[in-house]
Structure formats: structure tokens, C-alpha cells
Amino acid sequence: MKKSLIALSITLALFSCKKKESNSDFTATDVTGTSIVKGNVNKNVITPNGNGGWTNTNRVNMSGVVVTIKVNKGGASGLYPNSTANGADVYSATTDANGNYAISVKSNATGVSALITIDGFTGTQDTIINNVTKTGLYATYFGTSTTRTLFMGQNTSFDHNFTATNVSSNPNNFNIGTAQLSGSISLNMVLTTKTGTALPVVVGGGTNIAVPAGITVYMNFDKDPSILATKLYTTTTDANGRYSFTFPTVASTTPGFFQNATVWVADYASTRDTLRIVNGVSAPTTTGPNGVFGNSTTTQNGLFNNEIRNATNFSFNGFTAN
């Protein structure tokens, strides 16, 4: 009897060891890998065709376009096809300066179904002449999507060529020409006069001198005939404090076009110096306190075709010392 009990104990111990070893054979493993989805995104532009006309079939690369990829976790074509996993993995990227994108996606050996979406956007259909881009009318660029089967270790490509669909247009009766607006900008300085040994006398109101070269001048034109919206222009003053704008406009009486311009300069940090006249002769200037000349604005209306609006002069008058 004692021998039987010992034999039974040994048998149970062996069975227990074998069962434990058998359980380790069924450890779950994640048999997924990665796939790379990459591509290029571009849009069409208008260019000369070499025969005096135009073509809209040439293309430029688009940066900043959003690309997304969705892979379901469960289901027959999901990442884990034999599971009851819910939800999806979503990957996203934007195109670089060359219109390219690349997204690393988790996939498996049997193949996962990936929904690739390239978002559309609203922009302008531009014209390129001699490598210079001229902004065109607003257009809609419709996105696209496709479904690809991705296998781990294998890559796939998906490109998209956007084609513009205009959302605004220029009426054919527009008579587009040009206008010019020019003037000068001055600084208000202190002026003193002195005769003989008398004390200097400050001249009331001071005097205006030309601003230095390189001062930025801004112009808002209320309706550009190409984009049918307000357009901002900038220029800089020359050595005599002068500025000039040449810009497209329409003929007088064109419906819906007032063609008004607001011209301005921003705050200008400088010194307010004293100009001296001694015995009727200009003397060396005395450097004044540091401070800021306040911004200044002028408005010109009715800038239609062939208008040459000169002597649009204004000045920095208000000065606040530091």
C-alpha cells in the first residue's frame, strides 16, 4: 500500500510538470511590423505656353497639406484580425517644402486595410512668369482618398495632383490698367536762429526735413482687380524721402470699384534734432533726445486707370521723448 501511494505521487508530479511546460507553448506574441506610406502633392498653375498664350497644365509642389491614414484594430482586414479589438489607429503628417510626405504605419503579415486621405484646401490659382509668382483668383482644390492593403516590411506610394476649381472670377468687361501714387515723407525738427551774440531763438513749429532712405511705406488698396479684395503694398523711401507705388486698377465708373488707397508709415524711433541757423547760415545740427515719432496716415480716393497722383506728402509730426 505504501509503495502504491509513492508511485501515485510521482505520477502526479510528472503530470503537473508536463502541464506547466505545455502552458508556456501558447504565450501570445505581437506579430506586427511597419509599412511606409509616402507620396507627393502638387497643384496646377498658369504659365505662358511659348506661343503668346497660356496653359494651366504645369504644376508646383504644395507644402503644408495634411495627409491622414486610418487602420482599424479589429476585423478581417484589421491590425489584429483574430481579435475583437475596437477602434482604429490614425496617423497624420503634412507635406514638406517639396510637396513630399512619409508616414510610418503599423501593419501585419496578412495585410491591413489602410484608408489614406489627402485633405483639400482653398487657395489661389497663381500665374508664374519667368519664375515670378503672381497671385490669382481664389479656387477650391478638392482632396482625395484611397484604400490600400499594407503588408509589414513593404512600402507603398500615393500621390495627388490638385486641379483648381475657381470660386471667384473677373467679369470679362474689366478694363484693367495701372495707376501711380507718389509723394514724400518728412520729419519735424526743432529750428533755432541766432544773430550775433544774442541767445538762440526757437522758431515756432520747427521745420520739416526729409526722412532717411529705407523707411517702409505701406499702402492698402481697397479692391485689387485680380483677387477682388484689399491688397497691401509696401515700398521704401529713397535718399530724398520720396516713395512711389505703381499698381493695377480698373477704369473709372466700373461697378463695385471705388479704388481708394490708404498710405501710412509706422512708428519711427529716432532723435529729434535741432537745426541751427547762425547769422543766416546753416550751422552744425545739435543731436536731440531719443524717442519715437508717431505713425502717420493719408488717404487718396479714386485711383483709376492712368491716374498719376503725385505730391501725396505727409510727415512724422508727433514726437515722444524716451
Side-chain angles (χ1 to χ4, degrees), residues 186-243:
S186 58
L187 286 173
N188 186 262
M189 294 295 184
V190 178
L191 176 63
T192 65
T193 61
K194 180 179 179 179
T195 302
T197 59
L199 294 175
V201 177
V202 177
V203 178
T207 187
N208 290 332
I209 64 170
V211 298
I215 299 295
T216 300
V217 186
Y218 303 88
M219 184 184 79
N220 256 342
F221 192 50
D222 70 350
K223 186 178 285 190
D224 180 90
S226 297
I227 64 174
L228 303 181
T230 299
K231 185 171 182 178
L232 174 66
Y233 293 86
T234 62
T235 189
T236 55
T237 53
D238 62 17
N240 297 312
R242 295 191 57 80
Y243 71 92

